[in-house]
């Protein structure tokens, strides 16, 4: 067993962990990042499946704190694909000399709080870190959700979850089955349909997808973005979803049906899922009529694009348009290819996976060379529940979260002092890099405050959320989601995608601007809701 001593330990080397490390080093702390992955990147290290890309536009899917780098770093298209996001994060790590402070292939398994004011953090490989501050940057979409389908281990062909896609795997000329048609499934199908010999899409609930509007960026466009960057970043911070576009302030009922169609057509042409949901009207996710109008519009587009009426029928979602919105580079078009089949699992469920393929309840075996599980994630608290984290008096975080995960400001939990979560439960629902920045900047201020107090003999340098603050934050989160159709729609956002997982509110729906305001006001109000000792 090796014991290592640092001021701070950060778990996770994705967008969150990298920025937290940079910020702690600037503060003069000694800090280490560990990740069970073999290198930096987080999401973008693991998700190497064909077609993997960001659906936030390139100019705002990056850090905002290095303006020079923002203006110089290359992106050729309106959306960045996985290799480019990974290259960007690697570049940031090199640019700021951060790699020397990182350790890979290292999985945190447990942490115990010691009353004298430090965390004892255990790794699977036997390493123990003794640190004052522990930051978990575990990722909100990071722990894979592998479905429990009978016979899964019997399959003799290749099988992969999209979020642990091995380097070098190819799909060309193979018979491929894809289970799942969320954001990931949509991206995979769109990418591989043209090159596989046969593609069978196993779809349970279809989701609404709109065009991404991707394409090459002109030099004029890039120059304009570069000139406007400070303004763009300010706009993102002061918006609800942080995607860079102007969010609508008018309800759908304020326009005529003709005008509404025109707006939807424009949004469809412009592209981007979040823009479609929040850029035309402000009530699509809260007003049932407005929501149904958006659904109807997308359903109509599906019937126009997909030539086979049976496929078109199956591809049309019937529930609310209230999951994290999707966009694609020609998903529905792929179903016009003869080699692309669609199995509606609500009509013909999977009986079992066999040696050679997938047997459905209609008695048909779909013979396959490869099965791709695009079945999503045990999101937000999934990675926390794999570990044994014990706070004051040995209380366990898992037990604290028995009725669903909770926090104060998405970052701290009472009873777990000096443990800071990046994108923890009940953090903002928005573009993730600016959400991460809000958390990292807050955590850095909290740690700076603890360090300042530690210089005084009466303080140990500990910051802890108060139980009341956690309770109140939960009430605030509940209030923000009141009337939202997200609440009525099954998805990972509330934990309903994983069998047996507690249904609970896992996001703050008040938007990025208000979230930042909540943090700011807690600090300005003398660290309201925190105990400092
Ligand atoms: P991650 O990048 O998930 O990193 C977490 C790291 O923690 C991982 O490397 C993991 O190995 C490590 N880890 C976890 N547990 C342990 C442990 N016990 N011990 C050691 N290490 C551990 N967000 C957007 O805003 N826009 C998008 O367009 C977008 N596209 C996405 C596309 C895909 C395919 C996926 C999966 C997610 C997407 N996201 C998107 C969400 C994305 O996860 C975030 O944008 C961002 O990358 C999260 O960064 P992070 O550092 O918080 O977490
Ligand atoms: P999602 O959006 O959770 O989608 C997962 C898909 O997998 C969805 O279609 C599920 O169907 C399907 N699924 C899950 N389990 C099963 C089983 N057992 N059988 C059949 N189908 C199943 O995950 P994604 O990875 O696509 O996207 C997650 C986020 O990552 C996304 O929002 C982006 O931010 C990036 P269901 O709908 O549950 O019927």
């Amino acid at each position: 067993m090796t014991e290592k001593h640092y001021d701070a330990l950060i778990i996770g080397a994705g967008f969150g962990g990298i920025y937290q490390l940079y910020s702690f080093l600037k503060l003069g702390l000694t800090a280490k990042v560990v990740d069970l992955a073999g290198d930096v990147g987080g999401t973008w290290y693991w998700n190497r499946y064909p077609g993997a890309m960001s659906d936030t536009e390139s100019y705002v899917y990056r850090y905002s704190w290095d303006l020079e780098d923002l203006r110089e770093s290359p992106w050729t298209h309106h959306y960045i694909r996985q290799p480019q996001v990974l290259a960007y994060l690697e570049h940031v790590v090199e640019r700021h000399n951060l790699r020397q402070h990182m350790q890979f292939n290292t999985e945190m398994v447990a942490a115990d709080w010691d009353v004298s004011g430090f965390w004892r953090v255990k790794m699977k490989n036997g390493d123990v870190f003794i640190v004052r501050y522990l930051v978990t940057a575990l990722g909100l979409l990071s722990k894979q959700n592998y479905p429990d389908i009978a016979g899964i281990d019997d399959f003799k062909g290749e099988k992969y979850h999209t979020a642990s896609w091995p380097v070098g795997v190819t799909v060309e000329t193979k018979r491929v089955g894809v289970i799942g048609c969320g954001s990931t499934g949509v991206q995979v199908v769109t990418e591989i349909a043209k090159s596989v010999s046969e593609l069978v899409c196993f779809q349970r609930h279809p989701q609404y997808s709109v065009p991404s509007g991707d394409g090459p960026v002109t030099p004029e466009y890039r120059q304009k973005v570069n000139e406007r960057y400070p303004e763009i970043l300010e706009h993102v911070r002061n918006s609800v979803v942080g995607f860079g576009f102007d969010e609508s302030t008018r309800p759908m009922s304020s326009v005529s049906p003709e005008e509404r169609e025109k707006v939807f057509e424009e949004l469809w042409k412009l592209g981007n899922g979040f823009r479609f949901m929040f850029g035309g009207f402000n009530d699509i996710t809260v007003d049932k009529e407005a929501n149904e109008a958006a659904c109807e519009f997308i359903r109509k587009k599906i019937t126009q694009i997909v030539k086979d009426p049976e496929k078109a029928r199956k591809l049309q979602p019937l529930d609310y348009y209230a999951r994290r919105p999707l966009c694609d580079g020609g998903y529905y078009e792929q179903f016009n290819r003869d080699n692309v089949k669609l199995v509606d699992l609500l009509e013909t469920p999977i009986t079992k996976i066999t040696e050679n393929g997938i047997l459905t309840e209609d008695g048909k075996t779909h013979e396959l060379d490869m099965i791709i599980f695009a079945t999503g994630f045990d999101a937000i608290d999934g990675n926390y529940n794999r570990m044994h984290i014990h706070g004051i008096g040995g209380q366990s975080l898992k037990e604290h979260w028995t009725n669903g995960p909770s926090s104060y400001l998405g970052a701290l939990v009472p009873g777990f002092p000096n443990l800071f979560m990046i994108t923890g439960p009940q953090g903002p629902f928005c573009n993730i890099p600016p959400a991460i920045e809000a958390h990292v900047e807050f955590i850095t201020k909290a740690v700076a405050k603890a360090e300042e107090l530690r210089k005084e003999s009466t303080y140990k340098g500990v910051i802890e959320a108060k139980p009341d603050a956690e309770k109140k934050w939960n009430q605030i989160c509940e209030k923000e989601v009141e009337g939202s159709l997200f609440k009525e729609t099954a998805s990972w956002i509330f934990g309903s995608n994983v069998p047996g997982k507690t249904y609970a509110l896992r996001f703050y729906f008040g938007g990025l601007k208000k979230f930042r305001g909540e943090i700011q006001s807690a600090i300005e109000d003398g660290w309201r809701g925190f105990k400092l000792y």
Side-chain angles (χ1 to χ4, degrees):
M1 184 183 79
T2 330
E3 267 196 8
K4 303 179 180 187
H5 294 254
Y6 291 92
D7 293 324
L9 178 67
I10 301 155
I11 316 297
F15 264 99
I18 293 169
Y19 185 32
Q20 189 63 74
L21 174 64
Y22 171 83
S23 306
F24 277 162
L25 294 175
K26 262 187 97 179
L27 213 58
L29 302 181
T30 58
K32 192 86 179 173
V33 165
V34 301
D35 198 309
L36 68 93
D39 211 327
V40 295
T43 293
W44 307 100
Y45 171 90
W46 294 108
N47 289 263
R48 295 169 191 247
Y49 60 85
M53 64 192 290
S54 154
D55 64 11
T56 303
E57 286 184 60
S58 310
Y59 72 115
V60 282
Y61 195 66
R62 50 195 61 247
Y63 296 119
S64 73
W65 43 270
D66 187 342
L67 193 55
E68 187 183 272
D69 199 46
L70 271 174
R71 288 184 167 135
E72 284 172 1
S73 70
W75 36 274
T76 56
H77 284 66
H78 287 285
Y79 293 85
I80 31 177
R81 290 183 164 251
Q82 175 271 334
Q84 287 107 46
V85 190
L86 186 58
Y88 166 69
L89 291 172
E90 285 167 350
H91 154 81
V92 172
V93 165
E94 301 311 327
R95 178 174 165 91
H96 298 285
N97 243 328
L98 301 175
R99 191 174 283 278
Q100 56 182 312
H101 307 285
M102 295 178 161
Q103 179 177 322
F104 297 104
N105 303 304
T106 306
E107 180 178 358
M108 171 183 159
V109 288
D112 295 282
W113 174 250
D114 187 295
V115 278
S116 56
F118 59 84
W119 282 99
R120 205 178 165 78
V121 192
K122 294 182 193 123
M123 305 296 150
K124 205 173 184 174
N125 66 3
D127 282 359
V128 174
F129 287 80
I130 311 289
V131 297
R132 208 179 298 285
Y133 310 107
L134 175 59
V135 179
T136 45
L138 308 179
L140 76 176
L141 290 160
S142 168
K143 191 191 167 214
Q144 298 156 31
N145 175 37
Y146 233 107
D148 186 14
I149 300 175
I152 201 164
D153 296 326
D154 297 340
F155 186 60
K156 290 269 186 332
E158 298 171 84
K159 60 173 192 285
Y160 308 107
H161 192 286
T162 48
S164 56
W165 192 268
V167 177
V169 168
T170 55
V171 296
E172 277 71 22
T173 69
K174 292 178 183 163
R175 296 167 303 169
V176 178
V178 176
I179 302 181
C181 58
S183 174
T184 303
V186 163
Q187 288 185 350
V188 176
V189 166
T190 307
E191 181 71 15
I192 69 174
K194 58 182 175 297
S195 49
V196 296
S197 72
E198 187 175 281
L199 179 58
V200 190
C201 306
F202 295 89
Q203 166 199 280
R204 203 162 55 183
H205 293 95
Q207 297 193 31
Y208 298 91
S209 190
V210 304
S212 62
D214 197 10
V217 164
T218 62
E220 296 73 37
Y221 174 89
R222 180 65 203 260
Q223 196 188 335
K224 214 165 169 187
V225 168
N226 275 359
E227 282 164 11
R228 290 188 51 237
Y229 248 131
E231 196 187 314
I232 289 169
L233 300 172
E234 208 41 38
H235 180 277
V236 165
R237 289 187 199 110
N238 289 303
S239 67
V240 177
V241 293
F243 271 68
F245 59 83
D246 287 331
E247 290 150 357
S248 175
T249 52
R250 66 178 171 178
M252 192 178 287
S253 57
S254 66
V255 304
S256 67
E258 295 73 35
E259 174 66 8
R260 182 180 78 202
E261 284 301 291
K262 219 175 113 206
V263 171
F264 280 146
E265 278 295 348
E266 275 164 17
L267 291 168
W268 185 269
K269 278 201 194 84
L270 269 172
N272 191 281
F274 273 82
R275 186 188 276 116
F276 194 88
M277 192 179 257
F278 297 100
F281 304 104
N282 69 355
D283 55 352
I284 285 186
T285 64
V286 290
D287 182 273
K288 288 185 181 171
E289 262 181 54
N291 193 272
E292 179 53 21
C295 295
E296 259 309 302
F297 182 87
I298 301 175
R299 288 190 206 115
K300 186 185 74 193
K301 286 288 183 192
I302 297 171
T303 58
Q304 287 168 358
I305 297 168
V306 181
K307 298 201 176 83
D308 174 349
E310 257 310 272
K311 282 184 183 170
R313 178 183 68 79
K314 290 176 181 172
L315 283 165
Q316 290 175 60
L318 298 173
D319 52 357
Y320 293 125
Y321 179 41
R323 298 190 186 198
R324 186 185 180 280
L326 312 190
C327 58
D328 65 81
Y331 173 63
Y332 297 119
E333 285 80 351
Q334 305 312 316
F335 291 90
N336 291 332
R337 294 177 187 274
D338 291 337
N339 66 332
V340 178
K341 312 267 180 307
L342 178 62
V343 177
D344 184 332
L345 296 180
L346 296 180
E347 292 174 4
T348 46
I350 294 175
T351 306
K352 63 173 181 175
I353 296 180
T354 66
E355 276 189 16
N356 306 319
I358 296 180
L359 172 67
T360 42
E361 272 191 13
D362 53 0
K364 185 173 168 43
T365 295
H366 302 269
E367 304 234 337
L368 302 166
D369 303 310
M370 181 190 287
I371 301 176
I372 299 177
F373 294 93
T375 44
F377 299 90
D378 180 351
I380 316 207
D381 43 327
N383 268 334
Y384 288 87
N385 292 331
R386 292 193 305 138
M387 301 191 290
H388 303 281
I389 302 178
H390 294 103
I392 294 171
Q395 63 182 299
S396 120
L397 185 62
K398 225 183 293 184
E399 275 166 31
H400 186 83
W401 285 353
T402 306
N403 298 322
S406 52
S407 74
Y408 180 34
L409 295 167
L412 283 98
V413 179
F416 298 83
N418 284 3
L419 169 65
F420 304 91
M421 301 178 291
I422 298 176
T423 66
Q426 301 180 333
F429 177 75
C430 62
N431 182 25
I432 303 297
I436 284 175
E437 291 189 355
H439 265 151
V440 169
E441 283 151 23
F442 167 60
I443 293 166
T444 309
K445 280 183 189 153
V447 167
K449 179 74 186 171
E451 283 290 284
E452 181 193 311
L453 291 175
R454 206 160 63 83
K455 294 195 184 102
E456 299 174 27
S457 58
T458 46
Y459 285 95
K460 271 197 281 191
V462 176
I463 182 158
E464 185 190 346
K466 291 180 185 168
D468 265 9
E470 182 192 45
K471 208 166 143 198
K472 194 146 179 246
W473 184 245
N474 191 48
Q475 287 162 356
I476 290 172
C477 290
E478 286 292 352
K479 195 154 185 295
E480 289 294 352
V481 82
E482 235 171 58
S484 168
L485 298 172
F486 273 98
K487 217 175 154 178
E488 297 181 38
T489 312
S491 80
W492 58 266
I493 291 173
F494 283 81
S496 23
N497 65 324
V498 176
K501 193 167 170 170
T502 314
Y503 173 92
L505 175 53
R506 286 177 165 79
F507 276 105
Y508 166 79
F509 274 89
L512 188 58
K513 179 182 179 181
K514 271 171 87 177
F515 180 73
R516 292 174 61 90
E518 293 278 4
I519 288 180
Q520 195 54 28
S521 92
I523 297 175
E524 282 169 10
D525 201 10
W527 291 90
R528 187 183 61 239
F530 293 102
K531 281 186 265 183
L532 296 157
Y533 53 96

